[in-house]
Short mmCIF file of all heavy atoms in Angstrom, two decimals:
data_model
loop_
_atom_site.label_atom_id
_atom_site.label_comp_id
_atom_site.label_asym_id
_atom_site.label_seq_id
_atom_site.Cartn_x
_atom_site.Cartn_y
_atom_site.Cartn_z
N GLU W 39 11.08 -50.37 63.18
CA GLU W 39 12.49 -50.33 63.41
C GLU W 39 12.97 -49.04 64.14
O GLU W 39 14.11 -48.98 64.56
CB GLU W 39 13.23 -50.43 62.03
CG GLU W 39 12.90 -51.70 61.34
CD GLU W 39 13.56 -51.75 59.89
OE1 GLU W 39 14.46 -50.94 59.66
OE2 GLU W 39 13.08 -52.57 59.18
N GLY W 40 12.06 -48.11 64.37
CA GLY W 40 12.47 -46.89 65.11
C GLY W 40 13.27 -45.86 64.28
O GLY W 40 13.68 -44.85 64.82
N LYS W 41 13.52 -46.19 62.95
CA LYS W 41 14.33 -45.30 62.15
C LYS W 41 14.06 -45.46 60.71
O LYS W 41 13.91 -46.59 60.20
CB LYS W 41 15.84 -45.54 62.40
CG LYS W 41 16.84 -44.59 61.97
CD LYS W 41 18.18 -44.98 62.38
CE LYS W 41 19.21 -43.95 61.98
NZ LYS W 41 20.58 -44.31 62.43
N VAL W 42 13.98 -44.34 59.97
CA VAL W 42 13.77 -44.35 58.57
C VAL W 42 14.74 -43.35 57.92
O VAL W 42 14.74 -42.17 58.30
CB VAL W 42 12.34 -44.00 58.10
CG1 VAL W 42 12.23 -43.93 56.58
CG2 VAL W 42 11.32 -45.00 58.65
N THR W 43 15.64 -43.83 57.07
CA THR W 43 16.69 -42.99 56.49
C THR W 43 16.42 -42.83 54.97
O THR W 43 16.30 -43.79 54.30
CB THR W 43 18.09 -43.57 56.72
OG1 THR W 43 18.27 -43.78 58.08
CG2 THR W 43 19.17 -42.68 56.13
N LEU W 44 16.41 -41.53 54.55
CA LEU W 44 16.31 -41.18 53.17
C LEU W 44 17.62 -40.46 52.85
O LEU W 44 17.78 -39.30 53.20
CB LEU W 44 15.08 -40.29 52.87
CG LEU W 44 13.69 -40.92 53.27
CD1 LEU W 44 12.64 -39.83 53.14
CD2 LEU W 44 13.41 -42.13 52.51
N VAL W 45 18.52 -41.21 52.22
CA VAL W 45 19.87 -40.64 52.03
C VAL W 45 19.86 -39.36 51.29
O VAL W 45 19.20 -39.20 50.30
CB VAL W 45 20.70 -41.69 51.20
CG1 VAL W 45 22.05 -41.17 50.88
CG2 VAL W 45 20.84 -43.01 51.96
N GLY W 46 20.54 -38.35 51.82
CA GLY W 46 20.60 -37.01 51.27
C GLY W 46 19.50 -36.12 51.84
O GLY W 46 19.67 -34.92 51.99
N PHE W 47 18.31 -36.63 52.18
CA PHE W 47 17.19 -35.86 52.63
C PHE W 47 17.24 -35.81 54.10
O PHE W 47 17.21 -34.68 54.66
CB PHE W 47 15.90 -36.52 52.14
CG PHE W 47 14.65 -35.71 52.62
CD1 PHE W 47 14.42 -34.44 52.02
CD2 PHE W 47 13.85 -36.07 53.57
CE1 PHE W 47 13.32 -33.66 52.45
CE2 PHE W 47 12.76 -35.40 54.03
CZ PHE W 47 12.48 -34.17 53.42
N GLY W 48 17.26 -36.92 54.81
CA GLY W 48 17.33 -36.89 56.30
C GLY W 48 16.89 -38.24 56.90
O GLY W 48 16.59 -39.15 56.20
N THR W 49 16.87 -38.19 58.20
CA THR W 49 16.51 -39.37 58.95
C THR W 49 15.46 -39.09 59.96
O THR W 49 15.52 -38.13 60.73
CB THR W 49 17.74 -39.89 59.75
OG1 THR W 49 18.84 -40.18 58.81
CG2 THR W 49 17.45 -41.16 60.52
N PHE W 50 14.33 -39.88 59.83
CA PHE W 50 13.28 -39.89 60.82
C PHE W 50 13.61 -40.87 61.92
O PHE W 50 14.00 -41.96 61.54
CB PHE W 50 11.91 -40.17 60.19
CG PHE W 50 11.46 -39.31 59.11
CD1 PHE W 50 11.85 -39.45 57.75
CD2 PHE W 50 10.68 -38.18 59.42
CE1 PHE W 50 11.40 -38.58 56.80
CE2 PHE W 50 10.25 -37.19 58.47
CZ PHE W 50 10.62 -37.50 57.13
N SER W 51 13.39 -40.49 63.18
CA SER W 51 13.66 -41.55 64.19
C SER W 51 12.61 -41.38 65.33
O SER W 51 11.98 -40.31 65.48
CB SER W 51 15.07 -41.43 64.79
OG SER W 51 15.24 -40.12 65.33
N ALA W 52 12.43 -42.49 66.00
CA ALA W 52 11.47 -42.47 67.13
C ALA W 52 12.29 -42.49 68.39
O ALA W 52 13.22 -43.34 68.55
CB ALA W 52 10.58 -43.71 67.13
N LYS W 53 12.06 -41.56 69.29
CA LYS W 53 12.88 -41.37 70.48
C LYS W 53 12.00 -41.46 71.67
O LYS W 53 10.87 -40.97 71.67
CB LYS W 53 13.60 -40.02 70.46
CG LYS W 53 14.65 -39.89 69.45
CD LYS W 53 15.41 -38.66 69.55
CE LYS W 53 16.50 -38.56 68.43
NZ LYS W 53 17.26 -37.29 68.61
N LYS W 54 12.46 -42.13 72.74
CA LYS W 54 11.68 -42.28 73.86
C LYS W 54 11.90 -41.18 74.88
O LYS W 54 13.12 -40.87 75.13
CB LYS W 54 11.87 -43.64 74.60
CG LYS W 54 11.07 -43.87 75.80
CD LYS W 54 11.34 -45.20 76.43
CE LYS W 54 10.39 -45.35 77.59
NZ LYS W 54 10.57 -46.56 78.36
N ARG W 55 10.88 -40.57 75.39
CA ARG W 55 11.04 -39.52 76.43
C ARG W 55 10.67 -40.18 77.78
O ARG W 55 9.65 -40.80 77.89
CB ARG W 55 10.15 -38.33 76.21
CG ARG W 55 10.66 -37.36 75.21
CD ARG W 55 9.93 -36.05 75.34
NE ARG W 55 10.18 -35.20 74.25
CZ ARG W 55 9.44 -34.22 73.75
NH1 ARG W 55 8.21 -34.06 74.28
NH2 ARG W 55 9.82 -33.56 72.76
N ASP W 56 11.53 -39.96 78.73
CA ASP W 56 11.23 -40.59 80.04
C ASP W 56 10.15 -39.81 80.77
O ASP W 56 9.89 -38.64 80.44
CB ASP W 56 12.49 -40.55 80.89
CG ASP W 56 13.64 -41.45 80.37
OD1 ASP W 56 13.26 -42.47 79.77
OD2 ASP W 56 14.75 -41.14 80.58
N ALA W 57 9.53 -40.50 81.73
CA ALA W 57 8.50 -39.82 82.53
C ALA W 57 9.18 -38.75 83.32
O ALA W 57 10.39 -38.86 83.69
CB ALA W 57 7.80 -40.75 83.42
N ARG W 58 8.53 -37.67 83.68
CA ARG W 58 9.16 -36.61 84.43
C ARG W 58 8.03 -35.76 85.14
O ARG W 58 6.82 -35.99 84.91
CB ARG W 58 9.87 -35.64 83.48
CG ARG W 58 9.02 -35.00 82.41
CD ARG W 58 9.93 -34.35 81.34
NE ARG W 58 9.19 -34.06 80.14
CZ ARG W 58 8.59 -32.90 79.89
NH1 ARG W 58 8.59 -31.90 80.76
NH2 ARG W 58 7.95 -32.70 78.77
N GLU W 59 8.46 -34.92 85.97
CA GLU W 59 7.51 -34.09 86.73
C GLU W 59 7.54 -32.71 86.11
O GLU W 59 8.61 -32.21 85.75
CB GLU W 59 7.87 -34.00 88.15
CG GLU W 59 7.56 -35.22 88.96
CD GLU W 59 7.45 -34.86 90.48
OE1 GLU W 59 7.36 -33.75 90.89
OE2 GLU W 59 7.30 -35.82 91.16
N GLY W 60 6.35 -32.13 85.99
CA GLY W 60 6.21 -30.79 85.46
C GLY W 60 5.44 -29.90 86.42
O GLY W 60 4.95 -30.38 87.45
N ILE W 61 5.19 -28.71 86.05
CA ILE W 61 4.33 -27.81 86.81
C ILE W 61 3.22 -27.21 85.99
O ILE W 61 3.41 -26.72 84.91
CB ILE W 61 5.23 -26.62 87.41
CG1 ILE W 61 6.28 -27.18 88.37
CG2 ILE W 61 4.36 -25.57 88.12
CD1 ILE W 61 7.25 -26.20 88.84
N ASN W 62 2.03 -27.37 86.53
CA ASN W 62 0.86 -26.73 85.86
C ASN W 62 0.97 -25.26 85.94
O ASN W 62 1.01 -24.67 87.05
CB ASN W 62 -0.47 -27.30 86.56
CG ASN W 62 -1.64 -26.68 85.92
OD1 ASN W 62 -1.67 -25.58 85.21
ND2 ASN W 62 -2.79 -27.42 85.97
N PRO W 63 1.08 -24.51 84.88
CA PRO W 63 1.35 -23.10 84.95
C PRO W 63 0.27 -22.30 85.51
O PRO W 63 0.38 -21.20 86.08
CB PRO W 63 1.55 -22.68 83.45
CG PRO W 63 1.01 -23.77 82.68
CD PRO W 63 1.10 -24.99 83.48
N LEU W 64 -1.00 -22.83 85.49
CA LEU W 64 -2.18 -22.16 86.07
C LEU W 64 -2.25 -22.26 87.58
O LEU W 64 -2.45 -21.30 88.31
CB LEU W 64 -3.48 -22.59 85.43
CG LEU W 64 -3.71 -22.33 83.98
CD1 LEU W 64 -4.93 -22.94 83.48
CD2 LEU W 64 -3.66 -20.80 83.69
N THR W 65 -2.02 -23.49 88.15
CA THR W 65 -2.21 -23.72 89.57
C THR W 65 -0.87 -23.80 90.27
O THR W 65 -0.87 -23.95 91.52
CB THR W 65 -3.03 -25.02 89.74
OG1 THR W 65 -2.22 -26.12 89.19
CG2 THR W 65 -4.34 -24.95 89.05
#
Side-chain angles (χ1 to χ4, degrees):
E39 299 178 18
K41 190 174 186 181
V42 176
T43 302
L44 303 172
V45 177
F47 181 72
T49 301
F50 296 91
S51 60
K53 295 183 179 181
K54 184 177 181 184
R55 280 199 190 151
D56 294 331
R58 58 191 167 95
E59 283 201 12
I61 297 176
N62 182 333
L64 295 176
T65 63

